[in-house]
Amino acid sequence: MDLEEEVLARIERQRKLRPRFRDDRITMVHGAGGKATHTLVAGLFAPAFANDALAELGDAARLDIDGAALCLTTDSFVVKPLRFPGGSIGELAVNGTVNDLAVSGARPQAVTAAFIIEEGLDADVVRAEASAMAEAARRAGVAVVAGDTKVVERNKADGMYITTAGVGVRRGGAALGSASIRPGDKVLCSGHIGDHGTAIMLARGELELDADIVSDTASVWPQAEALIEVAGPALRVMRDPTRGGVATVLNELAGDAGAGMVLDENAVPIHSAVKGACEILGIDPMYVANEGVLLAVVAPEAAGDALDAMAATQGGAAAAVIGEVAEEPEGMVLVRTGFGGTRIMDMLIGDPLPRIC
Amino acid sequence: MDLEEEVLARIERQRKLRPRFRDDRITMVHGAGGKATHTLVAGLFAPAFANDALAELGDAARLDIDGAALCLTTDSFVVKPLRFPGGSIGELAVNGTVNDLAVSGARPQAVTAAFIIEEGLDADVVRAEASAMAEAARRAGVAVVAGDTKVVERNKADGMYITTAGVGVRRGGAALGSASIRPGDKVLCSGHIGDHGTAIMLARGELELDADIVSDTASVWPQAEALIEVAGPALRVMRDPTRGGVATVLNELAGDAGAGMVLDENAVPIHSAVKGACEILGIDPMYVANEGVLLAVVAPEAAGDALDAMAATQGGAAAAVIGEVAEEPEGMVLVRTGFGGTRIMDMLIGDPLPRIC
């Protein structure tokens, strides 16, 4: 097959694979970022809103408006508790949207912020989150340009929810997308995984564990920009592994690309405290949410330079090549374990960590 | 004073007038769109996020990005009940954001949609709102290009909340803004007022009244575009009187412009069923939310043509000149009543209608 035929065949395959949403009620699992979320989005929302920009189901929509090459994205944040070691809902709300733009190859420019506040919330909590958002925006180089506030009665929210939307300008002509992934490509990870989700768990007091684990919430635009500049068209795709973690993102990429992914467990950067906490909880850190980690697939000839460039950025010191793309098994992720074995790593099923972001 | 001095004086006056937010807790009144909301936004959020685009506190931020003249806006929707005569939360979520762009002089292009869903919600409710949003988007000529879904536990939301953000392209070089308002300008209203808020009240069963009142939820871009084309620079400013109603918007404009507003009560288009329901409830329809009404201030020499153009649009048949701008009383709104008297019409204080949008 030539390239065009191959792309058309992939689109056709995806169309056939479009899941149907058959559940009667919405449950917590539909918000967990795994298979159930994917089914809700791809099986209910995407067909309803059918259009080219949404059909990609990427982290942000690509739009050409008035001659500008933009990306547009949105996320709601319902994290519990509102403040946790290393961050807070406001910081998360800015960085989360900034990162959806960044991994779409767009320099984040402006964000909006909409607040749904539960009646009776201490005004100092609102004040603190406004400050946290302003500071996160300053660090990420974006402006908070528009907002809205709604108040609902007690027990109709949980303190406050924040929804941000963001607009960014696409850099260069990069045709970023999973369709460009090829066997032999390398999978790069910008930093330690599992910090955010584990910090939230500890902050909830669900573990009687006193570990020094802080959320990684931060903009990944520095890493994304470095990759765009150094790798150019050799940069295939970038993603930020939030809900569902690294495992879910790699499964989505493998499925979209119709390729296999082989992950080298020993190469994945992870703090020992996070590893220990996850062992105690019986959770695989590969499924734990990150809020300042970037995954990238890069052509093999550019992988070395890309890794060096990413490692030189602020927050990129732990960057590593963690795996590679294989011909098969198509649509699946294999993990080479530390003991020399191999296991299959599926998408997140179920909901180990509700309201993580 | 020349024009520049006048503008600077107004900015200085507004700066001094910036309210301080002194409340200890958030209450329902902070979400009602009146004085308390204004104090929260202008006294807490605006200083925290200080930047030029936000400082205007308009319906949408004006941004020049990658050579494009854009507007960006966001709104959360927490209306109760989710469905009501004439519309639903999904329709409202699209039209509300479309209208914030429209009254900012921007042709609505794309919207995002973020859902916060309460665990246990019937999936058919989600399906119905996705359809309602898609249909509203089609009618308004925009695409829903990106989305997000979060799920929270029972009693942490109320069915579902929807936050939309929107991007539009500014039309022409119109310097729309309250700073351009001059004594003698005419105030135009595109249609019947009070329908939406009254329909919501009736849908809640708070009135034992069987009246044929339906929400006016609709895009006002047809009216906005007609005004932009016909009035050009004679079009001073447009607003959509949602929470807080016509009274609150006119007070904001009078305050921003440092001018007075004189409203002719008899000229305001209002359905008799709405008038009757509001009388029974003891609420002034001037404070009731609208979701498909546009208010515009137009220079007197262009007011006639502007009215004709607006009346010729779909949904504009009831358009009327409802008042005019006066030298004084500065920052206040006077109403000429049907009985020949005059009374002061303040901003909305308190919260007669929570969760109206």
Side-chain angles (χ1 to χ4, degrees):
Chain A
M1 282 195 289
D2 68 14
L3 187 62
E4 192 180 353
E5 281 176 342
E6 197 177 329
V7 169
L8 287 174
R10 278 181 189 175
I11 290 171
E12 180 62 13
R13 194 160 52 221
Q14 285 309 304
R15 199 188 57 74
K16 284 186 188 150
L17 287 175
R18 169 173 287 174
R20 298 209 177 171
F21 182 76
R22 300 177 188 276
D23 298 325
D24 290 336
R25 296 198 169 271
I26 304 296
T27 61
M28 294 304 288
V29 70
H30 292 113
K35 269 192 178 167
T37 305
H38 183 71
T39 304
L40 174 63
V41 172
L44 194 158
F45 288 121
F49 301 135
N51 61 66
D52 292 345
L54 186 69
E56 292 179 25
L57 292 181
D59 292 288
R62 295 177 194 184
L63 296 172
D64 294 302
I65 294 185
D66 198 25
L70 305 178
C71 276
L72 187 64
T73 188
T74 190
D75 264 338
S76 286
F77 294 83
V78 299
V79 67
K80 180 184 179 176
L82 296 177
R83 305 220 127 211
F84 43 82
S88 70
I89 188 170
E91 209 174 330
L92 215 55
V94 170
N95 289 333
T97 282
V98 160
N99 289 347
D100 281 343
L101 296 171
V103 298
S104 303
R107 176 189 288 279
Q109 298 276 332
V111 299
T112 62
F115 300 83
I116 297 174
I117 303 178
E118 185 185 11
E119 180 185 19
L121 183 69
D122 192 320
D124 283 340
V125 173
V126 181
R127 216 171 258 120
E129 293 315 314
S131 294
M133 293 183 80
E135 176 59 20
R138 194 193 57 73
R139 278 199 302 267
V142 297
V144 181
V145 296
D148 182 52
T149 311
K150 294 290 190 303
V151 182
V152 295
E153 302 89 345
R154 280 172 210 270
N155 300 319
K156 301 296 183 192
D158 196 3
M160 69 191 300
Y161 302 140
I162 304 176
T163 302
T164 47
V167 62
V169 178
R170 300 203 303 275
R171 280 288 304 272
L176 290 173
S178 47
S180 64
I181 293 174
R182 294 286 173 275
D185 287 350
K186 302 294 182 185
V187 180
L188 276 62
C189 177
S190 72
H192 294 96
I193 71 158
D195 289 4
H196 176 73
T198 316
I200 295 291
M201 272 189 288
L202 295 180
R204 284 187 194 155
E206 292 174 5
L207 266 180
E208 296 223 5
L209 192 69
D210 192 19
D212 191 20
I213 300 173
V214 297
S215 169
D216 60 341
T217 179
S219 164
V220 298
W221 174 245
Q223 287 79 49
E225 188 177 31
L227 289 178
I228 292 167
E229 282 179 2
V230 167
L235 175 62
R236 312 296 201 195
V237 69
M238 297 186 284
R239 298 291 290 273
D240 64 327
T242 56
R243 287 182 292 177
V246 170
T248 299
V249 163
L250 293 184
N251 269 280
E252 286 172 358
L253 291 180
D256 290 350
M261 295 268 173
V262 182
L263 194 68
D264 182 357
E265 193 172 58
N266 274 348
V268 179
I270 178 165
H271 288 118
S272 58
V274 170
K275 205 168 184 173
C278 286
E279 271 173 20
I280 293 172
L281 256 191
I283 288 181
D284 185 339
M286 297 289 189
Y287 292 91
V288 174
N290 310 279
E291 293 291 342
V293 169
L294 176 148
L295 292 180
V297 178
V298 180
E301 65 276 13
D305 288 347
L307 182 64
D308 291 347
M310 199 151 68
T313 62
Q314 196 178 0
V321 173
I322 62 169
E324 63 179 44
V325 180
E327 290 275 0
E328 29 186 50
E330 194 183 309
M332 292 176 76
V333 180
L334 295 180
V335 182
R336 277 196 300 259
T337 67
F339 307 105
T342 302
R343 62 182 169 85
I344 292 169
M345 190 168 76
D346 203 351
M347 276 179 111
L348 173 66
I349 301 177
D351 179 20
L353 296 173
R355 295 181 55 191
I356 209 75
C357 62
Chain B
M1 283 196 290
D2 66 14
L3 187 63
E4 192 180 354
E5 280 174 347
E6 198 178 327
V7 168
L8 288 173
R10 279 183 186 173
I11 290 170
E12 179 62 12
R13 193 162 52 221
Q14 285 309 304
R15 199 187 57 74
K16 283 183 189 152
L17 286 175
R18 170 174 285 176
R20 296 206 179 176
F21 183 76
R22 298 177 190 277
D23 299 325
D24 289 336
R25 297 198 168 273
I26 303 297
T27 61
M28 294 305 289
V29 70
H30 292 112
K35 269 194 176 165
T37 305
H38 184 71
T39 306
L40 174 63
V41 172
L44 194 160
F45 287 121
F49 301 136
N51 61 67
D52 292 343
L54 187 67
E56 292 179 28
L57 291 182
D59 292 287
R62 294 178 195 185
L63 296 172
D64 294 302
I65 294 184
D66 197 25
L70 304 179
C71 276
L72 187 64
T73 189
T74 190
D75 263 339
S76 286
F77 294 83
V78 299
V79 67
K80 179 184 181 175
L82 296 177
R83 305 221 126 209
F84 43 83
S88 70
I89 188 170
E91 211 174 330
L92 216 55
V94 169
N95 289 333
T97 282
V98 159
N99 288 347
D100 282 344
L101 296 171
V103 297
S104 301
R107 176 189 289 279
Q109 298 275 333
V111 300
T112 63
F115 300 83
I116 297 175
I117 304 178
E118 186 185 10
E119 181 185 19
L121 183 68
D122 192 318
D124 282 339
V125 173
V126 181
R127 215 171 260 120
E129 292 315 314
S131 293
M133 296 182 79
E135 177 57 20
R138 193 193 58 74
R139 278 199 302 266
V142 297
V144 181
V145 296
D148 182 52
T149 311
K150 294 291 191 300
V151 182
V152 295
E153 302 88 345
R154 278 172 209 271
N155 300 319
K156 302 296 183 192
D158 196 3
M160 69 192 299
Y161 301 142
I162 304 177
T163 302
T164 46
V167 61
V169 178
R170 300 204 302 276
R171 280 286 305 273
L176 290 173
S178 47
S180 65
I181 293 174
R182 294 287 174 275
D185 288 350
K186 302 295 183 187
V187 180
L188 276 62
C189 177
S190 71
H192 295 96
I193 71 159
D195 289 2
H196 176 73
T198 315
I200 295 290
M201 272 189 288
L202 295 181
R204 284 185 194 155
E206 290 173 9
L207 266 181
E208 296 222 5
L209 193 68
D210 191 21
D212 191 21
I213 299 173
V214 297
S215 169
D216 60 341
T217 179
S219 163
V220 298
W221 174 245
Q223 288 77 49
E225 188 177 33
L227 289 178
I228 293 168
E229 282 179 3
V230 167
L235 175 62
R236 311 299 200 193
V237 69
M238 296 185 284
R239 298 289 291 275
D240 63 328
T242 57
R243 287 182 293 178
V246 170
T248 299
V249 162
L250 293 183
N251 269 280
E252 286 173 357
L253 291 179
D256 291 351
M261 295 268 172
V262 182
L263 193 68
D264 182 357
E265 195 173 55
N266 274 349
V268 179
I270 177 164
H271 288 118
S272 57
V274 170
K275 206 168 183 174
C278 286
E279 269 172 22
I280 292 172
L281 256 191
I283 289 181
D284 186 339
M286 298 287 189
Y287 293 91
V288 174
N290 310 281
E291 294 291 341
V293 170
L294 176 148
L295 292 180
V297 179
V298 179
E301 66 276 12
D305 288 347
L307 182 64
D308 291 346
M310 200 153 65
T313 61
Q314 196 178 1
V321 174
I322 62 168
E324 63 178 44
V325 180
E327 290 276 359
E328 32 187 46
E330 193 182 312
M332 292 174 75
V333 181
L334 296 181
V335 182
R336 278 196 300 259
T337 66
F339 307 104
T342 302
R343 61 183 168 87
I344 292 171
M345 190 169 75
D346 203 351
M347 275 179 110
L348 173 67
I349 301 176
D351 178 19
L353 295 173
R355 297 182 54 192
I356 208 76
C357 62

